[in-house]
Amino acid sequence: MNKIVINIETEGDIRASETMADLRNVVENLYFPMRIAGFWDFQADVHLCPQEERRQECTHRLADAAAGISAYVKTLQKERNANVEVYFPHADISFYMC
């Protein structure tokens, strides 16, 4: 999977948005015609799970967080053809695109 890190640095009291919808719009506009296949919000420990969408048990919530994320990425690659991860360090959110 290709990884892109978008680091937004500001001076003063101004902060970049950490709202998922805002960041999703940025990603989809920057990398059009690619589309979002999934996301992982590390602060809230929330992700868009293909298994849960099918009303199955999520297999990505593991005691070892790194292993869970790795399993999630493999699921997105296999089921949704995701091939790009876009990570925003200031918001601690990754979007996966296909």
Side-chain angles (χ1 to χ4, degrees):
M1 171 138 340
N2 297 306
K3 185 170 183 173
I4 300 164
V5 178
I6 299 177
N7 192 17
I8 302 172
E9 297 179 12
T10 60
E11 293 183 18
D13 296 332
I14 298 174
R15 290 187 59 178
S17 176
E18 295 180 14
T19 305
M20 187 176 308
D22 293 340
L23 298 175
R24 178 185 177 148
N25 287 336
V26 168
V27 168
E28 287 183 334
N29 282 303
L30 281 174
Y31 296 101
F32 180 80
M34 297 182 85
R35 58 184 173 80
I36 300 295
F39 69 85
W40 194 294
D41 183 338
F42 298 95
Q43 289 180 4
D45 193 27
V46 175
H47 66 286
L48 180 62
C49 184
Q51 281 96 352
E52 289 180 338
E53 288 178 344
R54 293 189 300 267
R55 298 183 183 184
Q56 298 172 341
E57 186 175 337
C58 175
T59 59
H60 311 116
R61 296 201 185 280
L62 304 175
D64 180 3
I69 294 165
S70 178
Y72 180 65
V73 169
K74 288 178 184 175
T75 298
L76 291 179
Q77 287 174 317
K78 179 180 176 185
E79 294 186 18
R80 297 191 176 168
N81 298 319
N83 59 0
V84 175
E85 174 185 0
V86 181
Y87 177 63
F88 291 92
H90 76 283
D92 208 14
I93 297 174
S94 282
F95 291 95
Y96 302 92
M97 304 186 73
C98 56

